[in-house]
Amino acid sequence: MGEKEVEQYDLFNTAETAALYSKHQPPLHHQAIDVVLSATQGRQQLLDIGCGSGSSTRPFCCHFSKVVGVDYSPTQITLAKTLSAELSNLQFHQGSIYELPVPNRSVDCILGVMIAQFIDLPQFFKEAKRVLKPGGALVFHGKCSPKVVEIKRETESKPESETATTVSELNQRIEYIKTQLFSGLFHDRTTFNPHKYTNIPPLYPNQEPTRKEWTTSYWSTIPQLADYILTWSAAGKYCVRHSVSSGELRRKLVEMLGDVGVVRVRCEADRFTWCSVNYQD
């Protein structure tokens, strides 16, 4: 497949990608939920754009009377409905975020998780202004790639020479995967994520958005870290470019990260939100 075909490949509309996202992406962090709840005046309706399999949608069903997830991918929506069948106040719609399936001024909050870098913001902002109630909020949530800060080793059954990987070396390997193995394959042409959403323009003129940042910490194994990397858009494009399966890429990632002697790694990742409230009406 040529470079143009790789770039245009419908990565997010495959059953494999939907399953990887659902299984290996971290759950929505409680501080992101708190940002949404503190920013919204009403609790009637929340709209999750680019909802995927619904992992960022379902947590709000206990806070809002009605929750709606929208994604362009039929595959993702099918999985979302399957995983959410018992939630009576949750609906999923396959369609465009530029033509949201809700009336004017009907939404208390629009949430977008890791989607800002994938969309035409000026076009979407027009639609957001149409559907937000007075006092309604638009919230984007993003996160940076994990950084290893601690390693736990297995030393009893392996010689010291096989357990000598350092935190710095492991981070260098992750950086190599991002910048060399996946060179040119990341979708983000906006640099929104690297700048932690500081460069997303205001939704409303003369109204500065509010931002929050925090750092999360969690333990992972090397294979689990490889599974998380498989959910990156660049990983999917790598598989297409090189005609390899996700399983083959996973084995390559584990080998590159080096799992010999390492039992667990503690990772930290910066998370951030961008929020704008409709004070115009």
Side-chain angles (χ1 to χ4, degrees):
M1 186 176 288
E3 292 302 308
K4 185 176 181 181
E5 286 79 11
V6 170
E7 180 64 29
Q8 295 177 346
Y9 178 67
D10 195 358
L11 172 67
F12 296 103
N13 193 28
T14 68
E16 183 177 42
T17 299
L20 285 170
Y21 262 66
S22 177
K23 188 174 182 180
H24 299 303
Q25 271 285 328
L28 189 64
H29 196 264
H30 67 87
Q31 287 188 238
I33 297 174
D34 291 343
V35 167
V36 168
L37 297 180
S38 63
T40 53
Q41 298 178 7
R43 294 286 191 277
Q44 294 303 307
Q45 183 168 218
L46 177 137
L47 187 62
D48 184 12
I49 60 167
C51 64
S53 59
S55 61
S56 60
T57 323
R58 286 184 287 274
F60 292 100
C61 288
C62 60
H63 298 290
F64 288 81
S65 299
K66 182 178 181 181
V67 179
V68 179
V70 178
D71 201 286
Y72 84 97
S73 165
T75 304
Q76 295 276 11
I77 291 297
T78 297
L79 180 58
K81 290 180 177 179
T82 299
L83 295 174
S84 312
E86 297 182 357
L87 297 170
S88 60
N89 64 331
L90 175 56
Q91 299 178 3
F92 288 102
H93 294 271
Q94 187 270 319
S96 170
I97 65 168
Y98 308 115
E99 297 178 356
L100 295 171
V102 292
N104 296 349
R105 299 189 176 193
S106 63
V107 175
D108 295 290
C109 182
I110 303 173
L111 173 66
V113 177
M114 290 297 293
I115 191 176
Q117 64 267 34
F118 291 104
I119 64 178
D120 182 329
L121 275 183
Q123 183 180 357
F124 171 69
F125 277 0
K126 292 179 182 178
E127 185 68 349
K129 291 175 181 177
R130 179 185 72 81
V131 303
L132 279 176
K133 293 179 180 178
L138 169 62
V139 178
F140 287 126
H141 173 47
K143 57 182 179 289
C144 292
S145 301
K147 179 180 180 181
V148 176
V149 295
E150 185 178 353
I151 292 176
K152 285 193 178 296
R153 312 176 190 281
E154 178 187 12
T155 57
E156 294 181 358
S157 60
K158 297 183 183 297
E160 179 64 25
S161 60
E162 293 186 1
T163 63
T165 299
T166 66
V167 167
S168 176
E169 288 169 340
L170 191 48
N171 281 318
Q172 288 173 8
R173 294 170 190 172
I174 294 172
E175 187 65 19
Y176 180 87
I177 290 169
K178 289 170 58 180
T179 61
Q180 301 299 317
L181 185 68
F182 294 161
S183 177
L185 294 177
F186 282 98
H187 184 90
D188 193 351
R189 307 292 186 258
T190 63
T191 69
F192 287 154
N193 235 51
H195 285 86
K196 301 180 182 180
Y197 291 177
T198 57
N199 54 343
I200 293 182
L203 176 60
Y204 298 101
N206 304 316
Q207 181 184 320
E208 284 298 314
T210 58
R211 295 180 57 261
K212 290 190 176 182
E213 293 185 24
W214 66 95
T215 301
T216 57
S217 176
Y218 59 93
W219 286 97
S220 175
T221 65
I222 292 296
Q224 287 171 341
L225 187 56
D227 286 333
Y228 169 70
I229 293 174
L230 281 178
T231 69
W232 295 354
S233 60
K237 289 183 179 181
Y238 178 92
C239 290
V240 175
R241 173 188 281 180
H242 296 280
S243 299
V244 298
S245 68
S246 61
E248 290 172 308
L249 176 57
R250 183 183 189 273
R251 288 190 290 272
K252 183 179 183 70
L253 291 172
V254 170
E255 181 180 346
M256 293 178 71
L257 291 169
D259 64 333
V260 175
V262 175
V263 178
R264 293 191 303 162
V265 296
R266 185 166 67 87
C267 298
E268 289 185 350
D270 291 336
R271 292 176 177 251
F272 36 90
T273 56
W274 176 104
C275 177
S276 185
V277 178
N278 178 10
Y279 294 126
Q280 305 302 301
D281 297 311

